[in-house]
Structures are given as C-alpha cells and as structure tokens.
Amino acid sequence: MNVHVGRIDRFGGQPRVSPSQSPKRFFSRTHAYYAGIDYGTSGARCTVINEDEDIVEEYRTSYDGGASSPSAWQSALKTLVGSIRSGPLQAIAVDGTSSTALIVDEDGLPITEAKMYNEAQDARYQEMVRSICPEEGHTVTSATSTLCKAFAFLDGLEDSGRRHTLMHQSDFVAFQLHRKIGHTDYNNALKVGFDPAEEAYPAWLMHHEAIMAILPQHVHAPGSPVGVIDKSSAEELGISPECIVCAGTTDSIAAFLASGVHEPGQAVTSLGSTLAIKLISRNPVNDARYGVYSHRLGNTWLVGGASNTGGAVLRQFFDDTDLARLTGEMDPDTLTGLEYVVLPSKGERFPENDPNLMPCMEPRPENDAVFLQGILESMAKTEGRAYGLLERLGADPVEEVYTCGGGAKNPVWTKLREKFIGSRVYVAAQGEASFGSALLAKRGIDRGS
C-alpha cells in the first residue's frame, strides 16, 4: 500500500460552515484534534484539524486490493490512523462514496462483495423498487440506488437464521471503530429510502419486512456522536480510548462542507472529470429524470445533480501544458459563437435528460485557443442551464458559486462561467472531503456537549 504523509502548515481565515454553538466540552480543548477520513473512488485520505479548524496533518493512501474490497478499506483505516502524530484524537468521522454498500453478519463480518456506487442493478430489482415506492422520480428508483442493491443482496442471501445488515461504505469503516451494528446517517440512508424531513423510513418501505430486516435501524444526523471508540479498536489503532466516533456522510457532501458554504443560494461546483453542482436551498427538490435529489443539511437542503461534461473531455484534446499556454491566448470578453455538445460519449442526464445525445466538437478551428475557448463556453452554458433547472424545479436561485476541482483556478473559464451562470464565482478555500468530515467530527462534539 502506497502512503503519502505530509504535514500542512496552518492557514487562517478559511471559511467556516457554522460557528460552534455550545460552550460545554466533552474534553479539555487545550490540545484537541479531530480527524476526518474520506473514502473516495481511487483512494482514502485523512485530515486532522485542531480546535481552530486549521489543518495540522493530511495523509492519503491507495487501496491495496481494489476500491471495492472491504479488507482494503480496513487496511486503509489502519494505515491512515496509524500515521497521525499530532496528538490524541477527540473525535473522528468517516465519509464514503454514496450508494456503495455490502451485507455483514451479526458480528460485522462481510458476507457479500461490496456493490459500488456506480453499479447499476438488474432491471428486475429496479422494478421491485418501483412497485413499492409511490413517488415517481424518487432517488431510490435509480438502478444504482442503495435500495435496488438491497433487493439484489436480499435475493442472494441464504436463510441461515442469523441477522444480516446492510452497511454503507462509511458505516462499515466506522464500525471498525465503535463496533456498533445498524448505525448510519441521513445522507447515506437517503438512497435506501430514508426520509430526512420526517427523520424516519417511510411507511411504504416499513411495510416491506424483508428489506427492513436488513436496513440500519439507527439513522443519525451527520456529525452527531454515535459512541466512544471500542476499547479493543482503540488499542489496535493507537487511538485515545475517549475518542468519540461521529456519524459520517457521503464523500460529495463532505467535500461540500469543506468549502465553507452555508447560506441558501450559495452553491459549489466541482470541476473534475465531470461537472457536479450542489446548491443550498430552503426547499428540497427531487427529480429522478435528471438525477436531482436533496440531502438534509441542518434546517436547509442540499440540492444537487451531475452532468457528464467536464475535464474528461478536455483531456481528450489537451494536457496541462497545453491548457496553461492556451489560457493566456483566450479572450473571454469575445465569445467564439461555437456551439459544442461537450460529452465524453453518448448520453446526458443533467441538465438535459437525453440518453441519445451525441458529443459534438465540430467544427474545430485551426486556432487551438479558439477551440479550447469554445469548449469552455459550452461547458459554462451547461453549468448555467443546470442551476437554472434547479430553480425551475423549486430550489432557491443561485446567488454565488464556489468552485473546487482541477478547473477552479482557470481565470478564463471562471469569467465565462460568471457570464452564463449570472452570478459571482469564487475558488473554494478547501475542497477535500476529509476536511469536511473532520469538521463534522469537531462540530459533532460541540453539538453533543
């Protein structure tokens, strides 16, 4: 397993999600540290913060055995936590990829392979979900939803008389710490059917006894304390036996929290291989046609969707050196007039639902700077239409956008995005999901004090 260890200097003035509300403490905070662990698609990362919410350590590691291997998740946890040098941890929280899940036995041991976040299930399981869910467009009706996976798992389980439980990726990792079965969080549970507005599973799901028998029975608000670390786990991992394990979240929500955004109308766009947006709204919006769904975020809602456009298309034509050189040759004040469909392959879902939409980057000008600007203009238009769709579906209008990901610091792209979104665009001070989970851990202690 490859491990990169590096200490990061303190930096002040970064955005906060919200101030601590309680003056009470579980522990003395003179030397208080909090850890967040992010399980992403290509590896795991740990961020340690102090009482001032400054980063004091960061570590990352690859998966030894593959991203879908529970044993690799366990090894990554041991490697990352074992690297921490700053001091005893007061609290820890874990995030993982949304809708990645497996089944464990009553001892917490895996009895199935993990089904990953992007694994579409057979159509018959999707039909099973649609037959019990009365809400057209509910996120659970997607073929990649955790509920579809739960039906698929159930179909393959033998009736051994022992209790089986579905765990999300972050649940499984957190279980290695607190050793409590059946605990999850609002955000992960959304795609299994949990209703965060009612803080309960809906009646239509409760009536399905076989599914309910394997679902987590304790669903916590992200960041809320689940329990003190198990004594044997503390000894094995070298963690303080007083460390509190807090409920986690999904990797995308953790990355959003890291940005510091917290007011309705504020949004975060992630400019990575694809283009993903999340907007804080006072109203939830859910529409499976476009892959739009809402996570509860305190007293507000985090409405999001993802387009297939993004950096993966740029990489088909340009490398980093090309992008740096051509950026200085572009003129964002003079539009190219090129109308491209910037997709890596056939099909788009958000902001247009068209499985037959074909990519088109023609005609290609002789000048590469004009070609690149035409691509960036088209991607900026897609982002603008995406925020417009969320507003038409009932979300708050976007007022300002914070950006993370590889494209965040390109000044030409930023100016084009402001033009087509119609709001100011900023670079997020932080975008690492592990930092967002560390904030959850710290603020979970504050709320629970």
Side-chain angles (χ1 to χ4, degrees):
M1 179 175 290
N2 299 319
V3 182
H4 172 81
V5 177
R7 185 176 296 276
I8 295 180
D9 292 335
R10 291 167 51 114
F11 57 95
Q14 68 188 33
R16 305 287 189 239
V17 176
S18 62
S20 301
Q21 299 297 320
S22 174
K24 299 179 182 178
R25 306 295 191 216
F26 275 127
F27 308 97
S28 167
R29 299 296 186 90
T30 305
H31 300 289
Y33 299 99
Y34 311 86
I37 301 182
D38 163 53
Y39 280 73
T41 56
S42 59
R45 188 179 184 102
C46 175
T47 296
V48 180
I49 63 174
N50 61 16
E51 180 67 12
D52 295 324
E53 299 181 358
D54 295 326
I55 298 173
V56 295
E57 294 180 277
E58 281 192 320
Y59 307 98
R60 62 177 180 267
T61 183
S62 58
Y63 296 123
D64 187 6
S68 63
S69 168
S71 62
W73 303 345
Q74 292 172 300
S75 297
L77 175 68
K78 186 173 183 179
T79 300
L80 291 171
V81 173
S83 301
I84 296 173
R85 297 290 180 267
S86 52
L89 294 179
Q90 309 301 293
I92 187 169
V94 181
D95 71 79
T97 50
S98 175
S99 201
T100 294
L102 74 164
I103 300 291
V104 301
D105 65 16
E106 56 196 20
D107 296 318
L109 299 175
I111 59 173
T112 68
E113 296 293 323
K115 292 183 181 291
M116 294 299 288
Y117 66 100
N118 58 351
E119 286 187 41
Q121 301 306 293
D122 190 273
R124 69 181 185 274
Y125 301 122
Q126 193 174 14
E127 286 304 315
M128 289 179 184
V129 172
R130 287 174 175 165
S131 70
I132 66 170
C133 178
E135 301 175 38
E136 184 178 355
H138 195 293
T139 187
V140 298
T141 60
S142 166
T144 59
S145 76
T146 320
L147 188 55
C148 281
K149 290 166 184 166
F151 272 99
F153 281 135
L154 197 62
D155 199 27
L157 290 177
E158 296 182 2
D159 186 8
S160 63
R162 303 188 71 190
R163 179 173 178 80
H164 301 135
T165 303
L166 181 143
M167 283 189 181
H168 302 94
Q169 182 179 42
S170 59
D171 303 340
F172 180 78
V173 177
F175 171 77
Q176 311 308 312
L177 300 170
H178 56 54
R179 311 302 295 182
K180 298 174 182 289
I181 291 181
H183 292 260
T184 189
D185 63 88
Y186 289 176
N187 298 153
N188 273 295
L190 182 73
K191 291 186 180 180
V192 82
F194 184 80
D195 185 345
E198 298 295 330
E199 300 186 7
Y201 290 109
W204 59 262
L205 188 57
M206 293 286 286
H207 291 155
H208 201 292
E209 294 182 2
I211 284 292
M212 287 304 304
I214 67 171
L215 295 187
Q217 298 302 301
H218 307 281
V219 185
H220 304 269
S224 58
V226 174
V228 179
I229 189 169
D230 175 75
K231 182 179 179 180
S232 61
S233 297
E235 292 175 353
E236 179 182 356
L237 296 171
I239 297 178
S240 165
E242 293 182 296
C243 179
I244 300 293
V245 183
C246 296
T249 185
T250 66
D251 57 345
S252 62
I253 301 297
F256 185 93
L257 295 174
S259 72
V261 171
H262 62 279
E263 295 290 341
Q266 292 182 319
V268 172
T269 294
S270 177
L271 299 177
S273 298
T274 60
L275 186 150
I277 71 172
K278 284 185 168 58
L279 168 73
I280 297 182
S281 172
R282 285 164 292 191
N283 308 307
V285 173
N286 298 283
D287 196 319
R289 292 175 301 169
Y290 303 104
V292 172
Y293 54 90
S294 301
H295 284 283
R296 185 172 174 178
L297 192 65
N299 294 322
T300 58
W301 296 88
L302 193 55
V303 184
S307 168
N308 291 331
T309 194
V313 182
L314 286 176
R315 293 301 179 190
Q316 295 176 8
F317 303 100
F318 306 105
D319 59 22
D320 288 340
T321 302
D322 294 329
L323 292 172
R325 174 176 56 84
L326 294 173
T327 293
E329 300 176 20
M330 293 187 289
D331 179 9
D333 293 321
T334 304
L335 299 181
T336 65
L338 295 167
E339 296 288 344
Y340 292 151
V341 179
V342 184
L343 294 172
S345 58
K346 176 182 175 181
E348 177 64 297
R349 187 177 188 184
F350 176 76
E352 289 85 24
N353 180 4
D354 186 351
N356 297 313
L357 186 63
M358 297 296 295
C360 178
M361 269 74 77
E362 297 288 344
R364 176 167 180 169
E366 293 184 6
N367 187 317
D368 282 347
V370 175
F371 180 51
L372 173 59
Q373 182 170 329
I375 293 176
L376 296 182
E377 286 174 7
S378 297
M379 293 170 68
K381 291 175 185 177
T382 296
E383 185 180 359
R385 292 196 304 273
Y387 282 114
L389 175 62
L390 294 187
E391 182 178 356
R392 291 195 302 276
L393 292 174
D396 281 61
V398 63
E399 295 180 4
E400 55 185 22
V401 177
Y402 290 79
T403 314
C404 58
K409 296 181 180 179
N410 187 297
V412 173
W413 198 356
T414 296
K415 195 163 186 177
L416 290 169
R417 292 171 59 220
E418 287 184 332
K419 186 186 299 288
F420 291 109
I421 297 172
S423 66
R424 294 297 305 274
V425 174
Y426 306 92
V427 177
Q430 267 293 329
E432 290 293 345
S434 55
F435 178 71
S437 284
L439 291 177
L440 275 181
K442 177 183 178 295
R443 289 162 186 170
I445 294 293
D446 292 333
R447 289 196 304 269
S449 297

